[in-house]
PDB file of all heavy atoms in Angstrom:
ATOM      1  N   GLY A 262      -4.123  -3.081   4.271  1.00  0.00           N
ATOM      2  CA  GLY A 262      -2.861  -3.068   3.542  1.00  0.00           C
ATOM      3  C   GLY A 262      -2.497  -1.672   3.078  1.00  0.00           C
ATOM      4  O   GLY A 262      -1.328  -1.251   3.164  1.00  0.00           O
ATOM      5  N   HIS A 263      -3.487  -0.930   2.574  1.00  0.00           N
ATOM      6  CA  HIS A 263      -3.245   0.475   2.229  1.00  0.00           C
ATOM      7  C   HIS A 263      -2.737   1.250   3.448  1.00  0.00           C
ATOM      8  O   HIS A 263      -1.778   2.020   3.362  1.00  0.00           O
ATOM      9  CB  HIS A 263      -4.546   1.125   1.748  1.00  0.00           C
ATOM     10  CG  HIS A 263      -4.863   0.910   0.313  1.00  0.00           C
ATOM     11  ND1 HIS A 263      -3.961   1.111  -0.699  1.00  0.00           N
ATOM     12  CD2 HIS A 263      -6.026   0.520  -0.284  1.00  0.00           C
ATOM     13  CE1 HIS A 263      -4.542   0.858  -1.869  1.00  0.00           C
ATOM     14  NE2 HIS A 263      -5.792   0.497  -1.644  1.00  0.00           N
ATOM     15  N   ALA A 264      -3.420   1.054   4.568  1.00  0.00           N
ATOM     16  CA  ALA A 264      -3.061   1.797   5.779  1.00  0.00           C
ATOM     17  C   ALA A 264      -1.640   1.474   6.219  1.00  0.00           C
ATOM     18  O   ALA A 264      -0.884   2.364   6.639  1.00  0.00           O
ATOM     19  CB  ALA A 264      -4.055   1.481   6.894  1.00  0.00           C
ATOM     20  N   ALA A 265      -1.248   0.195   6.134  1.00  0.00           N
ATOM     21  CA  ALA A 265       0.113  -0.191   6.509  1.00  0.00           C
ATOM     22  C   ALA A 265       1.128   0.504   5.614  1.00  0.00           C
ATOM     23  O   ALA A 265       2.180   0.982   6.085  1.00  0.00           O
ATOM     24  CB  ALA A 265       0.265  -1.706   6.409  1.00  0.00           C
ATOM     25  N   HIS A 266       0.839   0.582   4.339  1.00  0.00           N
ATOM     26  CA  HIS A 266       1.722   1.266   3.393  1.00  0.00           C
ATOM     27  C   HIS A 266       1.886   2.736   3.788  1.00  0.00           C
ATOM     28  O   HIS A 266       3.005   3.217   4.003  1.00  0.00           O
ATOM     29  CB  HIS A 266       1.126   1.128   1.985  1.00  0.00           C
ATOM     30  CG  HIS A 266       1.734   2.028   0.958  1.00  0.00           C
ATOM     31  ND1 HIS A 266       1.073   2.364  -0.205  1.00  0.00           N
ATOM     32  CD2 HIS A 266       2.908   2.687   0.910  1.00  0.00           C
ATOM     33  CE1 HIS A 266       1.831   3.166  -0.924  1.00  0.00           C
ATOM     34  NE2 HIS A 266       2.951   3.387  -0.270  1.00  0.00           N
ATOM     35  N   PHE A 267       0.760   3.445   3.891  1.00  0.00           N
ATOM     36  CA  PHE A 267       0.844   4.892   4.104  1.00  0.00           C
ATOM     37  C   PHE A 267       1.270   5.274   5.521  1.00  0.00           C
ATOM     38  O   PHE A 267       1.637   6.423   5.770  1.00  0.00           O
ATOM     39  CB  PHE A 267      -0.487   5.550   3.731  1.00  0.00           C
ATOM     40  CG  PHE A 267      -0.768   5.510   2.253  1.00  0.00           C
ATOM     41  CD1 PHE A 267      -1.891   4.853   1.767  1.00  0.00           C
ATOM     42  CD2 PHE A 267       0.093   6.089   1.349  1.00  0.00           C
ATOM     43  CE1 PHE A 267      -2.143   4.798   0.392  1.00  0.00           C
ATOM     44  CE2 PHE A 267      -0.148   6.036  -0.014  1.00  0.00           C
ATOM     45  CZ  PHE A 267      -1.269   5.392  -0.495  1.00  0.00           C
ATOM     46  N   ALA A 268       1.223   4.320   6.436  1.00  0.00           N
ATOM     47  CA  ALA A 268       1.715   4.585   7.794  1.00  0.00           C
ATOM     48  C   ALA A 268       3.215   4.354   7.912  1.00  0.00           C
ATOM     49  O   ALA A 268       3.815   4.717   8.922  1.00  0.00           O
ATOM     50  CB  ALA A 268       0.982   3.696   8.803  1.00  0.00           C
ATOM     51  N   ASN A 269       3.825   3.779   6.886  1.00  0.00           N
ATOM     52  CA  ASN A 269       5.230   3.369   6.973  1.00  0.00           C
ATOM     53  C   ASN A 269       6.132   4.051   5.959  1.00  0.00           C
ATOM     54  O   ASN A 269       7.231   3.566   5.695  1.00  0.00           O
ATOM     55  CB  ASN A 269       5.335   1.855   6.818  1.00  0.00           C
ATOM     56  CG  ASN A 269       5.013   1.128   8.111  1.00  0.00           C
ATOM     57  OD1 ASN A 269       5.759   1.199   9.071  1.00  0.00           O
ATOM     58  ND2 ASN A 269       3.866   0.444   8.135  1.00  0.00           N
ATOM     59  N   VAL A 270       5.687   5.159   5.396  1.00  0.00           N
ATOM     60  CA  VAL A 270       6.566   5.926   4.518  1.00  0.00           C
ATOM     61  C   VAL A 270       7.480   6.765   5.408  1.00  0.00           C
ATOM     62  O   VAL A 270       7.007   7.589   6.185  1.00  0.00           O
ATOM     63  CB  VAL A 270       5.763   6.805   3.549  1.00  0.00           C
ATOM     64  CG1 VAL A 270       6.702   7.643   2.687  1.00  0.00           C
ATOM     65  CG2 VAL A 270       4.870   5.929   2.656  1.00  0.00           C
ATOM     66  N   LYS A 271       8.781   6.541   5.303  1.00  0.00           N
ATOM     67  CA  LYS A 271       9.741   7.126   6.248  1.00  0.00           C
ATOM     68  C   LYS A 271      10.589   8.208   5.572  1.00  0.00           C
ATOM     69  O   LYS A 271      11.811   8.260   5.716  1.00  0.00           O
ATOM     70  CB  LYS A 271      10.637   6.021   6.821  1.00  0.00           C
ATOM     71  CG  LYS A 271       9.877   4.897   7.545  1.00  0.00           C
ATOM     72  CD  LYS A 271       9.210   5.383   8.814  1.00  0.00           C
ATOM     73  CE  LYS A 271       8.375   4.311   9.515  1.00  0.00           C
ATOM     74  NZ  LYS A 271       9.153   3.305  10.215  1.00  0.00           N
ATOM     75  N   MET A 272       9.917   9.109   4.848  1.00  0.00           N
ATOM     76  CA  MET A 272      10.598  10.198   4.157  1.00  0.00           C
ATOM     77  C   MET A 272      10.451  11.495   4.963  1.00  0.00           C
ATOM     78  O   MET A 272       9.892  11.502   6.053  1.00  0.00           O
ATOM     79  CB  MET A 272      10.042  10.338   2.746  1.00  0.00           C
ATOM     80  CG  MET A 272      10.191   9.082   1.892  1.00  0.00           C
ATOM     81  SD  MET A 272      11.903   8.591   1.607  1.00  0.00           S
ATOM     82  CE  MET A 272      12.411   9.885   0.467  1.00  0.00           C
ATOM     83  N   ASN A 273      10.936  12.613   4.390  1.00  0.00           N
ATOM     84  CA  ASN A 273      10.978  13.861   5.157  1.00  0.00           C
ATOM     85  C   ASN A 273      10.003  14.923   4.652  1.00  0.00           C
ATOM     86  O   ASN A 273      10.206  16.116   4.881  1.00  0.00           O
ATOM     87  CB  ASN A 273      12.406  14.423   5.172  1.00  0.00           C
ATOM     88  CG  ASN A 273      12.874  14.862   3.792  1.00  0.00           C
ATOM     89  OD1 ASN A 273      12.334  14.418   2.777  1.00  0.00           O
ATOM     90  ND2 ASN A 273      13.877  15.717   3.746  1.00  0.00           N
ATOM     91  N   ALA A 274       8.951  14.475   3.951  1.00  0.00           N
ATOM     92  CA  ALA A 274       7.903  15.402   3.523  1.00  0.00           C
ATOM     93  C   ALA A 274       6.614  14.610   3.332  1.00  0.00           C
ATOM     94  O   ALA A 274       6.653  13.454   2.898  1.00  0.00           O
ATOM     95  CB  ALA A 274       8.284  16.109   2.218  1.00  0.00           C
ATOM     96  N   PRO A 275       5.464  15.209   3.649  1.00  0.00           N
ATOM     97  CA  PRO A 275       4.193  14.474   3.538  1.00  0.00           C
ATOM     98  C   PRO A 275       3.805  14.133   2.110  1.00  0.00           C
ATOM     99  O   PRO A 275       2.959  13.261   1.899  1.00  0.00           O
ATOM    100  CB  PRO A 275       3.177  15.425   4.178  1.00  0.00           C
ATOM    101  CG  PRO A 275       3.806  16.771   4.141  1.00  0.00           C
ATOM    102  CD  PRO A 275       5.279  16.550   4.242  1.00  0.00           C
ATOM    103  N   CYS A 276       4.426  14.768   1.117  1.00  0.00           N
ATOM    104  CA  CYS A 276       4.066  14.485  -0.274  1.00  0.00           C
ATOM    105  C   CYS A 276       4.420  13.062  -0.690  1.00  0.00           C
ATOM    106  O   CYS A 276       3.861  12.533  -1.654  1.00  0.00           O
ATOM    107  CB  CYS A 276       4.755  15.477  -1.209  1.00  0.00           C
ATOM    108  SG  CYS A 276       6.560  15.455  -1.127  1.00  0.00           S
ATOM    109  N   PHE A 277       5.329  12.407   0.041  1.00  0.00           N
ATOM    110  CA  PHE A 277       5.732  11.054  -0.318  1.00  0.00           C
ATOM    111  C   PHE A 277       4.721  10.003   0.154  1.00  0.00           C
ATOM    112  O   PHE A 277       4.755   8.871  -0.301  1.00  0.00           O
ATOM    113  CB  PHE A 277       7.092  10.717   0.291  1.00  0.00           C
ATOM    114  CG  PHE A 277       8.239  11.521  -0.263  1.00  0.00           C
ATOM    115  CD1 PHE A 277       8.823  12.535   0.492  1.00  0.00           C
ATOM    116  CD2 PHE A 277       8.736  11.269  -1.527  1.00  0.00           C
ATOM    117  CE1 PHE A 277       9.890  13.268  -0.009  1.00  0.00           C
ATOM    118  CE2 PHE A 277       9.797  12.004  -2.042  1.00  0.00           C
ATOM    119  CZ  PHE A 277      10.374  13.020  -1.274  1.00  0.00           C
ATOM    120  N   SER A 278       3.842  10.376   1.092  1.00  0.00           N
ATOM    121  CA  SER A 278       2.967   9.391   1.744  1.00  0.00           C
ATOM    122  C   SER A 278       1.507   9.758   1.584  1.00  0.00           C
ATOM    123  O   SER A 278       0.824  10.087   2.554  1.00  0.00           O
ATOM    124  CB  SER A 278       3.313   9.291   3.239  1.00  0.00           C
ATOM    125  OG  SER A 278       2.460   8.371   3.887  1.00  0.00           O
ATOM    126  N   GLN A 279       1.021   9.743   0.360  1.00  0.00           N
ATOM    127  CA  GLN A 279      -0.401   9.959   0.125  1.00  0.00           C
ATOM    128  C   GLN A 279      -0.788   9.264  -1.167  1.00  0.00           C
ATOM    129  O   GLN A 279       0.074   8.899  -1.961  1.00  0.00           O
ATOM    130  CB  GLN A 279      -0.757  11.450   0.114  1.00  0.00           C
ATOM    131  CG  GLN A 279       0.263  12.386  -0.511  1.00  0.00           C
ATOM    132  CD  GLN A 279       0.295  12.348  -2.017  1.00  0.00           C
ATOM    133  OE1 GLN A 279      -0.747  12.223  -2.648  1.00  0.00           O
ATOM    134  NE2 GLN A 279       1.456  12.429  -2.608  1.00  0.00           N
ATOM    135  N   GLU A 280      -2.098   9.054  -1.327  1.00  0.00           N
ATOM    136  CA  GLU A 280      -2.569   8.199  -2.418  1.00  0.00           C
ATOM    137  C   GLU A 280      -2.740   8.938  -3.730  1.00  0.00           C
ATOM    138  O   GLU A 280      -3.167   8.359  -4.724  1.00  0.00           O
ATOM    139  CB  GLU A 280      -3.906   7.542  -2.021  1.00  0.00           C
ATOM    140  CG  GLU A 280      -5.051   8.502  -1.803  1.00  0.00           C
ATOM    141  CD  GLU A 280      -5.159   8.992  -0.366  1.00  0.00           C
ATOM    142  OE1 GLU A 280      -4.133   9.056   0.337  1.00  0.00           O
ATOM    143  OE2 GLU A 280      -6.286   9.343   0.048  1.00  0.00           O
ATOM    144  N   PHE A 281      -2.412  10.222  -3.764  1.00  0.00           N
ATOM    145  CA  PHE A 281      -2.603  11.027  -4.962  1.00  0.00           C
ATOM    146  C   PHE A 281      -1.312  11.081  -5.777  1.00  0.00           C
ATOM    147  O   PHE A 281      -0.218  10.807  -5.277  1.00  0.00           O
ATOM    148  CB  PHE A 281      -3.056  12.432  -4.580  1.00  0.00           C
ATOM    149  CG  PHE A 281      -4.156  12.445  -3.552  1.00  0.00           C
ATOM    150  CD1 PHE A 281      -3.901  12.813  -2.237  1.00  0.00           C
ATOM    151  CD2 PHE A 281      -5.438  12.048  -3.880  1.00  0.00           C
ATOM    152  CE1 PHE A 281      -4.909  12.800  -1.277  1.00  0.00           C
ATOM    153  CE2 PHE A 281      -6.448  12.027  -2.929  1.00  0.00           C
ATOM    154  CZ  PHE A 281      -6.176  12.407  -1.632  1.00  0.00           C
ATOM    155  N   ALA A 282      -1.427  11.478  -7.054  1.00  0.00           N
ATOM    156  CA  ALA A 282      -0.243  11.621  -7.897  1.00  0.00           C
ATOM    157  C   ALA A 282       0.783  12.526  -7.200  1.00  0.00           C
ATOM    158  O   ALA A 282       0.399  13.476  -6.516  1.00  0.00           O
ATOM    159  CB  ALA A 282      -0.657  12.227  -9.246  1.00  0.00           C
ATOM    160  N   PRO A 283       2.072  12.176  -7.342  1.00  0.00           N
ATOM    161  CA  PRO A 283       2.659  11.220  -8.282  1.00  0.00           C
ATOM    162  C   PRO A 283       2.681   9.763  -7.801  1.00  0.00           C
ATOM    163  O   PRO A 283       3.379   8.942  -8.394  1.00  0.00           O
ATOM    164  CB  PRO A 283       4.093  11.737  -8.430  1.00  0.00           C
ATOM    165  CG  PRO A 283       4.409  12.333  -7.102  1.00  0.00           C
ATOM    166  CD  PRO A 283       3.123  12.951  -6.629  1.00  0.00           C
ATOM    167  N   THR A 284       1.942   9.443  -6.729  1.00  0.00           N
ATOM    168  CA  THR A 284       1.822   8.044  -6.331  1.00  0.00           C
ATOM    169  C   THR A 284       1.034   7.287  -7.399  1.00  0.00           C
ATOM    170  O   THR A 284      -0.111   7.630  -7.689  1.00  0.00           O
ATOM    171  CB  THR A 284       1.099   7.924  -4.975  1.00  0.00           C
ATOM    172  OG1 THR A 284       1.848   8.619  -3.983  1.00  0.00           O
ATOM    173  CG2 THR A 284       0.961   6.471  -4.564  1.00  0.00           C
ATOM    174  N   SER A 285       1.636   6.280  -7.969  1.00  0.00           N
ATOM    175  CA  SER A 285       0.961   5.451  -8.963  1.00  0.00           C
ATOM    176  C   SER A 285      -0.129   4.635  -8.292  1.00  0.00           C
ATOM    177  O   SER A 285       0.087   4.045  -7.232  1.00  0.00           O
ATOM    178  CB  SER A 285       1.990   4.520  -9.619  1.00  0.00           C
ATOM    179  OG  SER A 285       1.401   3.349 -10.100  1.00  0.00           O
ATOM    180  N   MET A 286      -1.312   4.588  -8.910  1.00  0.00           N
ATOM    181  CA  MET A 286      -2.380   3.770  -8.357  1.00  0.00           C
ATOM    182  C   MET A 286      -1.979   2.298  -8.368  1.00  0.00           C
ATOM    183  O   MET A 286      -2.282   1.553  -7.435  1.00  0.00           O
ATOM    184  CB  MET A 286      -3.672   3.968  -9.134  1.00  0.00           C
ATOM    185  CG  MET A 286      -4.840   3.159  -8.569  1.00  0.00           C
ATOM    186  SD  MET A 286      -6.400   3.516  -9.400  1.00  0.00           S
ATOM    187  CE  MET A 286      -7.469   2.295  -8.637  1.00  0.00           C
ATOM    188  N   ALA A 287      -1.282   1.880  -9.421  1.00  0.00           N
ATOM    189  CA  ALA A 287      -0.834   0.483  -9.485  1.00  0.00           C
ATOM    190  C   ALA A 287       0.100   0.165  -8.323  1.00  0.00           C
ATOM    191  O   ALA A 287       0.014  -0.904  -7.712  1.00  0.00           O
ATOM    192  CB  ALA A 287      -0.140   0.221 -10.812  1.00  0.00           C
ATOM    193  N   TYR A 288       0.983   1.100  -7.995  1.00  0.00           N
ATOM    194  CA  TYR A 288       1.891   0.926  -6.861  1.00  0.00           C
ATOM    195  C   TYR A 288       1.115   0.853  -5.558  1.00  0.00           C
ATOM    196  O   TYR A 288       1.326  -0.053  -4.736  1.00  0.00           O
ATOM    197  CB  TYR A 288       2.890   2.082  -6.837  1.00  0.00           C
ATOM    198  CG  TYR A 288       3.575   2.322  -5.511  1.00  0.00           C
ATOM    199  CD1 TYR A 288       4.389   1.339  -4.935  1.00  0.00           C
ATOM    200  CD2 TYR A 288       3.431   3.532  -4.841  1.00  0.00           C
ATOM    201  CE1 TYR A 288       5.026   1.570  -3.716  1.00  0.00           C
ATOM    202  CE2 TYR A 288       4.065   3.763  -3.632  1.00  0.00           C
ATOM    203  CZ  TYR A 288       4.854   2.785  -3.074  1.00  0.00           C
ATOM    204  OH  TYR A 288       5.475   2.997  -1.870  1.00  0.00           O
ATOM    205  N   ALA A 289       0.184   1.780  -5.356  1.00  0.00           N
ATOM    206  CA  ALA A 289      -0.591   1.807  -4.114  1.00  0.00           C
ATOM    207  C   ALA A 289      -1.428   0.542  -3.961  1.00  0.00           C
ATOM    208  O   ALA A 289      -1.496  -0.057  -2.879  1.00  0.00           O
ATOM    209  CB  ALA A 289      -1.484   3.051  -4.076  1.00  0.00           C
ATOM    210  N   GLU A 290      -2.068   0.107  -5.045  1.00  0.00           N
ATOM    211  CA  GLU A 290      -2.940  -1.062  -4.964  1.00  0.00           C
ATOM    212  C   GLU A 290      -2.158  -2.368  -4.821  1.00  0.00           C
ATOM    213  O   GLU A 290      -2.701  -3.361  -4.336  1.00  0.00           O
ATOM    214  CB  GLU A 290      -3.861  -1.126  -6.183  1.00  0.00           C
ATOM    215  CG  GLU A 290      -4.867   0.010  -6.278  1.00  0.00           C
ATOM    216  CD  GLU A 290      -5.815   0.066  -5.083  1.00  0.00           C
ATOM    217  OE1 GLU A 290      -6.075  -0.994  -4.476  1.00  0.00           O
ATOM    218  OE2 GLU A 290      -6.285   1.169  -4.768  1.00  0.00           O
ATOM    219  N   THR A 291      -0.906  -2.390  -5.223  1.00  0.00           N
ATOM    220  CA  THR A 291      -0.090  -3.591  -5.023  1.00  0.00           C
ATOM    221  C   THR A 291      -0.008  -3.940  -3.546  1.00  0.00           C
ATOM    222  O   THR A 291      -0.073  -5.115  -3.152  1.00  0.00           O
ATOM    223  CB  THR A 291       1.327  -3.381  -5.594  1.00  0.00           C
ATOM    224  OG1 THR A 291       1.243  -3.211  -7.013  1.00  0.00           O
ATOM    225  CG2 THR A 291       2.239  -4.568  -5.291  1.00  0.00           C
ATOM    226  N   GLN A 292       0.094  -2.916  -2.696  1.00  0.00           N
ATOM    227  CA  GLN A 292       0.238  -3.152  -1.262  1.00  0.00           C
ATOM    228  C   GLN A 292      -1.040  -3.762  -0.681  1.00  0.00           C
ATOM    229  O   GLN A 292      -0.996  -4.723   0.094  1.00  0.00           O
ATOM    230  CB  GLN A 292       0.567  -1.839  -0.537  1.00  0.00           C
ATOM    231  CG  GLN A 292       1.509  -0.901  -1.268  1.00  0.00           C
ATOM    232  CD  GLN A 292       2.751  -1.570  -1.825  1.00  0.00           C
ATOM    233  OE1 GLN A 292       3.367  -2.415  -1.175  1.00  0.00           O
ATOM    234  NE2 GLN A 292       3.123  -1.219  -3.049  1.00  0.00           N
ATOM    235  N   SER A 293      -2.178  -3.208  -1.050  1.00  0.00           N
ATOM    236  CA  SER A 293      -3.454  -3.676  -0.502  1.00  0.00           C
ATOM    237  C   SER A 293      -3.848  -5.028  -1.082  1.00  0.00           C
ATOM    238  O   SER A 293      -4.339  -5.910  -0.369  1.00  0.00           O
ATOM    239  CB  SER A 293      -4.551  -2.650  -0.777  1.00  0.00           C
ATOM    240  OG  SER A 293      -4.617  -2.351  -2.159  1.00  0.00           O
ATOM    241  N   MET A 294      -3.623  -5.209  -2.371  1.00  0.00           N
ATOM    242  CA  MET A 294      -4.049  -6.441  -3.020  1.00  0.00           C
ATOM    243  C   MET A 294      -3.139  -7.619  -2.646  1.00  0.00           C
ATOM    244  O   MET A 294      -3.578  -8.769  -2.648  1.00  0.00           O
ATOM    245  CB  MET A 294      -4.112  -6.249  -4.536  1.00  0.00           C
ATOM    246  CG  MET A 294      -5.171  -5.238  -4.951  1.00  0.00           C
ATOM    247  SD  MET A 294      -5.252  -4.914  -6.723  1.00  0.00           S
ATOM    248  CE  MET A 294      -6.382  -6.196  -7.256  1.00  0.00           C
ATOM    249  N   PHE A 295      -1.888  -7.336  -2.302  1.00  0.00           N
ATOM    250  CA  PHE A 295      -1.053  -8.411  -1.776  1.00  0.00           C
ATOM    251  C   PHE A 295      -1.653  -8.929  -0.471  1.00  0.00           C
ATOM    252  O   PHE A 295      -1.739 -10.144  -0.250  1.00  0.00           O
ATOM    253  CB  PHE A 295       0.383  -7.936  -1.533  1.00  0.00           C
ATOM    254  CG  PHE A 295       1.228  -8.978  -0.856  1.00  0.00           C
ATOM    255  CD1 PHE A 295       1.820  -9.988  -1.594  1.00  0.00           C
ATOM    256  CD2 PHE A 295       1.391  -8.974   0.521  1.00  0.00           C
ATOM    257  CE1 PHE A 295       2.573 -10.982  -0.965  1.00  0.00           C
ATOM    258  CE2 PHE A 295       2.147  -9.963   1.155  1.00  0.00           C
ATOM    259  CZ  PHE A 295       2.737 -10.964   0.410  1.00  0.00           C
ATOM    260  N   CYS A 296      -2.079  -8.014   0.397  1.00  0.00           N
ATOM    261  CA  CYS A 296      -2.623  -8.432   1.694  1.00  0.00           C
ATOM    262  C   CYS A 296      -3.926  -9.207   1.532  1.00  0.00           C
ATOM    263  O   CYS A 296      -4.125 -10.234   2.202  1.00  0.00           O
ATOM    264  CB  CYS A 296      -2.820  -7.202   2.587  1.00  0.00           C
ATOM    265  SG  CYS A 296      -1.277  -6.412   3.099  1.00  0.00           S
ATOM    266  N   ASP A 297      -4.824  -8.748   0.668  1.00  0.00           N
ATOM    267  CA  ASP A 297      -6.089  -9.490   0.543  1.00  0.00           C
ATOM    268  C   ASP A 297      -5.912 -10.790  -0.249  1.00  0.00           C
ATOM    269  O   ASP A 297      -6.749 -11.694  -0.156  1.00  0.00           O
ATOM    270  CB  ASP A 297      -7.220  -8.619  -0.017  1.00  0.00           C
ATOM    271  CG  ASP A 297      -7.094  -8.253  -1.490  1.00  0.00           C
ATOM    272  OD1 ASP A 297      -6.820  -9.131  -2.314  1.00  0.00           O
ATOM    273  OD2 ASP A 297      -7.302  -7.065  -1.838  1.00  0.00           O
ATOM    274  N   SER A 298      -4.816 -10.927  -1.000  1.00  0.00           N
ATOM    275  CA  SER A 298      -4.579 -12.182  -1.726  1.00  0.00           C
ATOM    276  C   SER A 298      -4.353 -13.350  -0.775  1.00  0.00           C
ATOM    277  O   SER A 298      -4.593 -14.512  -1.135  1.00  0.00           O
ATOM    278  CB  SER A 298      -3.369 -12.044  -2.660  1.00  0.00           C
ATOM    279  OG  SER A 298      -2.133 -12.108  -1.949  1.00  0.00           O
ATOM    280  N   LEU A 299      -3.915 -13.072   0.447  1.00  0.00           N
ATOM    281  CA  LEU A 299      -3.648 -14.131   1.418  1.00  0.00           C
ATOM    282  C   LEU A 299      -4.910 -14.918   1.763  1.00  0.00           C
ATOM    283  O   LEU A 299      -4.844 -16.096   2.134  1.00  0.00           O
ATOM    284  CB  LEU A 299      -3.058 -13.529   2.698  1.00  0.00           C
ATOM    285  CG  LEU A 299      -1.737 -12.776   2.548  1.00  0.00           C
ATOM    286  CD1 LEU A 299      -1.384 -12.080   3.846  1.00  0.00           C
ATOM    287  CD2 LEU A 299      -0.620 -13.712   2.119  1.00  0.00           C
ATOM    288  N   LEU A 300      -6.068 -14.266   1.648  1.00  0.00           N
ATOM    289  CA  LEU A 300      -7.320 -14.907   2.030  1.00  0.00           C
ATOM    290  C   LEU A 300      -7.696 -16.067   1.106  1.00  0.00           C
ATOM    291  O   LEU A 300      -8.571 -16.862   1.442  1.00  0.00           O
ATOM    292  CB  LEU A 300      -8.461 -13.884   2.040  1.00  0.00           C
ATOM    293  CG  LEU A 300      -8.287 -12.693   2.988  1.00  0.00           C
ATOM    294  CD1 LEU A 300      -9.432 -11.714   2.828  1.00  0.00           C
ATOM    295  CD2 LEU A 300      -8.192 -13.151   4.428  1.00  0.00           C
ATOM    296  N   ASN A 301      -7.046 -16.162  -0.033  1.00  0.00           N
ATOM    297  CA  ASN A 301      -7.309 -17.263  -0.963  1.00  0.00           C
ATOM    298  C   ASN A 301      -6.372 -18.443  -0.750  1.00  0.00           C
ATOM    299  O   ASN A 301      -6.516 -19.471  -1.414  1.00  0.00           O
ATOM    300  CB  ASN A 301      -7.163 -16.762  -2.408  1.00  0.00           C
ATOM    301  CG  ASN A 301      -8.178 -15.695  -2.745  1.00  0.00           C
ATOM    302  OD1 ASN A 301      -9.355 -15.848  -2.456  1.00  0.00           O
ATOM    303  ND2 ASN A 301      -7.725 -14.596  -3.324  1.00  0.00           N
ATOM    304  N   ASP A 302      -5.417 -18.294   0.155  1.00  0.00           N
ATOM    305  CA  ASP A 302      -4.443 -19.355   0.379  1.00  0.00           C
ATOM    306  C   ASP A 302      -4.995 -20.391   1.349  1.00  0.00           C
ATOM    307  O   ASP A 302      -5.541 -20.057   2.408  1.00  0.00           O
ATOM    308  CB  ASP A 302      -3.142 -18.779   0.938  1.00  0.00           C
ATOM    309  CG  ASP A 302      -2.378 -17.964  -0.090  1.00  0.00           C
ATOM    310  OD1 ASP A 302      -2.560 -18.229  -1.286  1.00  0.00           O
ATOM    311  OD2 ASP A 302      -1.603 -17.070   0.302  1.00  0.00           O
ATOM    312  N   ALA A 303      -4.815 -21.664   1.006  1.00  0.00           N
ATOM    313  CA  ALA A 303      -5.373 -22.744   1.825  1.00  0.00           C
ATOM    314  C   ALA A 303      -4.799 -22.748   3.233  1.00  0.00           C
ATOM    315  O   ALA A 303      -5.509 -23.058   4.191  1.00  0.00           O
ATOM    316  CB  ALA A 303      -5.120 -24.087   1.151  1.00  0.00           C
ATOM    317  N   ASP A 304      -3.503 -22.397   3.377  1.00  0.00           N
ATOM    318  CA  ASP A 304      -2.937 -22.402   4.730  1.00  0.00           C
ATOM    319  C   ASP A 304      -3.494 -21.261   5.566  1.00  0.00           C
ATOM    320  O   ASP A 304      -3.648 -21.385   6.782  1.00  0.00           O
ATOM    321  CB  ASP A 304      -1.404 -22.396   4.711  1.00  0.00           C
ATOM    322  CG  ASP A 304      -0.811 -21.319   3.825  1.00  0.00           C
ATOM    323  OD1 ASP A 304      -1.548 -20.708   3.028  1.00  0.00           O
ATOM    324  OD2 ASP A 304       0.414 -21.096   3.915  1.00  0.00           O
ATOM    325  N   TRP A 305      -3.853 -20.132   4.912  1.00  0.00           N
ATOM    326  CA  TRP A 305      -4.532 -19.062   5.668  1.00  0.00           C
ATOM    327  C   TRP A 305      -5.912 -19.546   6.100  1.00  0.00           C
ATOM    328  O   TRP A 305      -6.317 -19.366   7.249  1.00  0.00           O
ATOM    329  CB  TRP A 305      -4.647 -17.784   4.835  1.00  0.00           C
ATOM    330  CG  TRP A 305      -5.136 -16.622   5.664  1.00  0.00           C
ATOM    331  CD1 TRP A 305      -4.374 -15.693   6.310  1.00  0.00           C
ATOM    332  CD2 TRP A 305      -6.508 -16.286   5.979  1.00  0.00           C
ATOM    333  NE1 TRP A 305      -5.174 -14.811   7.011  1.00  0.00           N
ATOM    334  CE2 TRP A 305      -6.480 -15.147   6.824  1.00  0.00           C
ATOM    335  CE3 TRP A 305      -7.735 -16.838   5.643  1.00  0.00           C
ATOM    336  CZ2 TRP A 305      -7.649 -14.562   7.314  1.00  0.00           C
ATOM    337  CZ3 TRP A 305      -8.900 -16.256   6.145  1.00  0.00           C
ATOM    338  CH2 TRP A 305      -8.849 -15.132   6.965  1.00  0.00           C
TER     339      TRP A 305
END
């Protein structure tokens, strides 16, 4: 999920697509934790 996030930043400078500040850790982890949350779903 992290990789999908950082591979899909479509801006015009590399500073927008990395895990360091000013990227919020809460923002970055939302992407990864959404993906792993699927593993708890009965239909998954």
